[in-house]
Amino acid sequence: MIVVLVSIVASDGKKVYEKKCASCHKAFVPVEKLMKNFKEMNNTMLHLKAPTLNQLSFRLKQQIGDPRGDEDIHRMEVSAFIADYLLYPDKDKSICMKDVINAFDTMPSMKGKISNEEIEAVSQYLYGYEEHLLHQKSMKPESFENALQKAQKEDKIIMIEATAPHCHYCIKMNREVLVEPEVVAALQKDFIVVSVDVSKKSLPLGLSASMTPTFFFVFADGTKDEVKTEHIQGAWNKEDFLEILKEAKKAKRKEK
Ligand code: HEC
């Protein structure tokens, strides 16, 4: 019963957003463009009417309460902020960056135009937005065993991302690079992505990561019982990461 209720609320959140927020708040714009728009162009490049959902989701989670604390409590803290802001908007309470908030007038109050249930639903949607996006847009992370079978069958490379929950550069990679359409396309075409939280699980194949993020590329040849791996550490920008993926493809060809 509870499970059913939760899933209804989760899907409602998106509907509430579409009906009551989307006229002003666009959903996703790549971070690089947002930076340029707000930091250099004073919103004259994108002409946004309000911060985007990926901006809001990220800022709310970083700026409110204790992002490293218990997730349920953190969700409640973020929801409380949103509930208050929807009824009593005031830029003095803003959690957005100065350059961003200065581009807008204060949001109109939604008092009388939105119910408590809708507020709760849309808050949960906002909280989970970035994560949801990651899984939907780029990588549906697979278990390594599945990935290995698929890689052999479909002749693809496995990319294992070793991450940790509060690793700044992992967050940066995930939100700025791994959701970029070109990167997503490259990954979908030739790779199978596995993501491992190394604070909770060990890496497959006896691999180890001395820092996060580390990206391992696993080349599995269906006709042999052995695999070859290469790895690269740290956060990269989009261009460099695309180059890294290209190199991995070259390395695979050499294997044959
Ligand atoms: C008529 C346009 C409009 C609508 C509709 C609207 N917003 Fe906003 N919202 C804005 C603007 C403009 C800002 C930036 C200025 C500000 O923060 O007041 C903003 C800011 C915000 C902020 C960040 C507050 C801050 O500065 O820290 C949140 C959270 C937010 N909106 C949530 C929502 C949600 C959820 C909905 C739908 C239920 C919604 N908004 C509907 C225009 C709108």
Side-chain angles (χ1 to χ4, degrees):
M1 196 57 197
I2 287 173
V3 174
V4 173
L5 278 177
V6 167
S7 72
I8 289 170
V9 169
S11 62
D12 268 354
K14 186 168 186 221
K15 287 210 188 99
V16 177
Y17 159 70
E18 281 162 1
K19 245 173 44 201
K20 307 212 162 166
C21 322
S23 59
C24 299
H25 293 278
K26 269 200 170 184
F28 178 80
V29 174
V31 175
E32 233 172 274
K33 278 197 182 162
L34 290 169
M35 295 291 269
K36 188 154 188 228
N37 179 59
F38 288 110
K39 285 215 177 300
E40 295 166 28
M41 314 278 294
N42 199 16
N43 197 25
T44 57
M45 179 174 120
L46 300 173
H47 301 284
L48 295 172
K49 288 194 209 156
T52 62
L53 285 200
N54 56 319
Q55 283 184 297
L56 285 182
S57 183
F58 181 70
R59 293 295 289 184
L60 286 164
K61 290 200 328 204
Q62 295 281 313
Q63 300 294 312
I64 292 174
D66 177 9
R68 288 163 186 255
D70 180 80
E71 187 183 317
D72 288 340
I73 295 175
H74 195 219
R75 276 181 181 269
M76 289 197 295
E77 289 169 329
V78 170
S79 264
F81 174 88
I82 296 173
D84 173 73
Y85 205 86
L86 289 179
L87 305 183
Y88 310 104
D90 175 350
K91 286 211 283 183
D92 285 345
K93 303 178 197 164
S94 179
I95 47 84
C96 296
M97 288 196 293
K98 278 250 144 39
D99 292 332
V100 173
I101 210 69
N102 287 343
F104 304 111
D105 292 331
T106 307
M107 168 169 141
S109 167
M110 304 204 70
K111 215 171 175 178
K113 296 182 188 148
I114 187 163
S115 71
N116 286 340
E117 289 82 63
E118 287 176 318
I119 291 178
E120 182 54 27
V122 82
S123 298
Q124 296 304 331
Y125 180 63
L126 258 182
Y127 191 98
Y129 181 75
E130 283 227 302
E131 218 165 310
H132 165 76
L133 194 75
L134 258 181
H135 289 191
Q136 200 183 38
K137 283 200 100 158
S138 66
M139 24 188 244
K140 286 208 173 57
E142 312 234 7
S143 76
F144 182 72
E145 291 68 29
N146 282 351
L148 189 58
Q149 280 187 0
K150 254 196 181 170
Q152 290 175 331
K153 223 174 22 200
E154 299 173 16
D155 197 24
K156 287 183 173 177
I157 303 165
I158 302 173
M159 181 180 88
I160 304 174
E161 182 190 18
T163 67
H166 302 298
C167 145
H168 172 76
Y169 287 104
C170 304
I171 296 173
K172 202 172 153 62
M173 270 312 282
N174 286 347
R175 71 184 301 253
E176 295 180 15
V177 179
L178 296 179
V179 291
E180 281 285 346
E182 280 168 76
V183 174
V184 173
L187 286 172
Q188 279 174 344
K189 187 157 168 272
D190 296 298
F191 297 82
I192 294 170
V193 179
V194 175
S195 176
V196 177
D197 174 352
V198 293
S199 74
K200 299 207 184 90
K201 282 173 76 179
S202 49
L203 289 160
L205 303 172
L207 294 168
S208 72
S210 59
M211 65 172 282
T212 51
T214 297
F215 296 91
F216 295 91
F217 295 101
V218 179
F219 308 96
D221 181 337
T223 62
K224 289 186 220 148
D225 276 344
E226 57 190 39
V227 296
K228 284 245 163 82
T229 66
E230 285 188 5
H231 73 273
I232 192 144
Q233 299 178 321
W236 305 84
N237 66 23
K238 180 180 87 179
E239 284 71 27
D240 291 344
F241 198 70
L242 284 169
E243 201 50 46
I244 288 167
L245 296 181
K246 248 194 227 156
E247 289 298 319
K249 278 168 60 183
K250 269 194 217 151
K252 171 166 169 265
R253 255 176 259 133
K254 253 188 256 150
E255 284 301 304
K256 296 212 157 161

